[in-house]
Amino acid sequence: MPKDSNNFSTTEGTSPVLQQDWLLTKGTLVEARHRHHLARTGLVDDVTPDGSILWLAADGALTRHMIDKSDGYEIWSTYEKTHGATPQPLAAPPTYRGAQ
């Protein structure tokens, strides 16, 4: 499986998609980008009711982390969701490989 520049293992032709509605990202593996640079990857643990803030779950030595949309963050994922629907992968789900 090819690996894109953000350490996600993806299937051919699959790359993360900008998620406009953060409410739909709960429970998915995402990339948090700030000013077009990868800030962190992780599993979305929770999202505020207005969708303006989300928390990435703790992962190993990394603690739970709050991401605020008003600080200029973007959330990217290879999953696309619609309201009331089960998450549908655009292709294979990403596998984080960490910094190499």
Side-chain angles (χ1 to χ4, degrees):
M1 226 181 270
K3 187 178 81 163
D4 72 13
S5 61
N6 294 315
N7 295 324
F8 277 94
S9 178
T10 61
T11 58
E12 191 66 38
T14 302
S15 58
V17 176
L18 177 63
Q19 302 299 311
Q20 299 292 337
D21 188 350
W22 289 14
L23 286 171
L24 303 177
T25 64
K26 187 173 180 179
T28 62
L29 185 62
V30 299
E31 297 176 357
R33 298 182 187 180
H34 191 254
R35 297 184 180 148
H36 308 290
H37 291 92
L38 181 64
R40 181 161 168 190
T41 59
L43 182 68
V44 178
D45 184 41
D46 208 356
V47 183
T48 56
D50 66 358
S52 65
I53 296 172
L54 61 75
W55 286 266
L56 297 179
D59 183 22
L62 298 174
T63 60
R64 190 173 192 236
H65 188 80
M66 186 181 81
I67 306 284
D68 190 329
K69 192 181 276 189
S70 69
D71 289 336
Y73 283 92
E74 295 177 334
I75 297 299
W76 293 72
S77 175
T78 58
Y79 280 91
E80 182 176 63
K81 289 184 174 183
T82 57
H83 284 287
T86 302
Q88 298 298 314
L90 297 177
T95 303
Y96 181 68
R97 296 196 181 201
Q100 296 181 4

